[in-house]
Amino acid sequence: MDPARHPGENDVSEDFVRELTDHQTAMLAFIRALMPGSSAARDLLQEVNIILWQKRATFEAGTSFKAWSFQVIRYHLMNHRRRLASKGWLVFDDELVERISPVLEADPEELETRHQALHHCLAKLRPKDRELLQHRYASGAPLEEYAKLIQRSPGTLKATLFNLRGALRKCIERRFQDQGTSPT
């Protein structure tokens, strides 16, 4: 017997590795949702995997691995966002992340259903509205820059974005109602 290994540790490690690998997709989706637009999601997942492995002794078998790992992810990403903010990057604040985290912890199948509903609802928008949403949430460029480009005021665009988010929310809710499911 390996003197550095405790009796039964191999079984625990195998169970832990199984849980860790089973949850990789959900963990990556959670990281991407908390760090939208970040190209570092896979790198952050690897950092989290190392932390989870180092903390494996604190995981209680029989409890929710997903809940435990997502909590570790939250703390790691809070520290990561603080490092980015100290370098002048614009990042979500911790309060916002805590508010949206429960939604993001949904099962991967539920997330896929939500994604499909969003895709369906986005397709129903006018091209110029989709372009505005794309610019606002995917480009990383300031809204003021886009406002100048299309010769509209930033305030008008902010109001339009508010209305578009409301319309998307209602469309998604209707889609779930039509399917007999709940969006929450």
Side-chain angles (χ1 to χ4, degrees):
M1 174 185 220
D2 183 352
R5 187 178 296 230
H6 301 330
E9 183 180 346
N10 194 35
D11 295 339
V12 173
S13 293
E14 287 176 14
D15 290 342
F16 186 85
V17 169
R18 190 174 303 108
E19 290 280 359
L20 185 64
T21 56
D22 287 350
H23 287 87
Q24 289 297 291
T25 302
M27 290 167 37
L28 181 59
F30 189 57
I31 290 168
R32 284 183 172 153
L34 293 175
M35 300 291 292
S38 174
S39 59
R42 289 201 178 275
D43 293 337
L44 289 167
L45 176 62
Q46 292 309 313
E47 290 173 15
V48 166
N49 283 332
I50 292 167
I51 293 167
L52 292 173
W53 182 255
Q54 291 168 343
K55 294 181 175 285
R56 70 187 180 279
T58 65
F59 174 67
E60 295 179 31
T63 62
S64 172
F65 182 87
K66 182 178 175 184
W68 178 75
S69 64
F70 278 27
Q71 189 63 33
V72 172
I73 291 169
R74 270 192 217 98
Y75 287 125
H76 183 66
L77 292 184
M78 278 191 256
N79 289 331
H80 179 73
R81 284 191 308 276
R82 284 185 191 114
R83 285 191 305 267
L84 291 176
S86 72
K87 294 177 182 178
W89 288 68
L90 181 63
V91 295
F92 285 162
D93 69 3
D94 294 341
E95 181 183 340
L96 175 62
V97 170
E98 288 301 316
R99 290 185 68 202
I100 65 174
S101 290
V103 173
L104 302 175
E105 292 178 22
D107 290 328
E109 296 84 22
E110 184 180 342
L111 289 175
E112 180 59 28
T113 302
R114 289 171 183 259
H115 178 76
Q116 289 173 357
L118 176 60
H119 183 71
H120 168 81
C121 293
L122 284 169
K124 294 172 94 175
L125 294 176
R126 298 178 301 182
K128 71 177 191 174
D129 290 336
R130 282 194 305 270
E131 185 178 316
L132 172 59
L133 288 165
Q134 176 73 22
H135 175 81
R136 174 63 182 99
Y137 295 107
S139 76
L143 190 60
E144 291 75 12
E145 181 181 296
Y146 186 68
K148 286 179 186 175
L149 179 69
I150 64 168
Q151 299 177 340
R152 291 179 65 193
S153 76
T156 301
L157 292 183
K158 287 177 184 177
T160 301
L161 284 166
F162 178 82
N163 292 332
L164 287 171
R165 287 190 300 266
L168 286 171
R169 184 182 67 252
K170 287 178 185 175
C171 176
I172 291 168
E173 288 171 356
R174 276 193 310 273
R175 183 127 170 115
F176 276 92
Q177 287 173 351
D178 292 346
Q179 294 175 347
T181 58
S182 171
T184 56

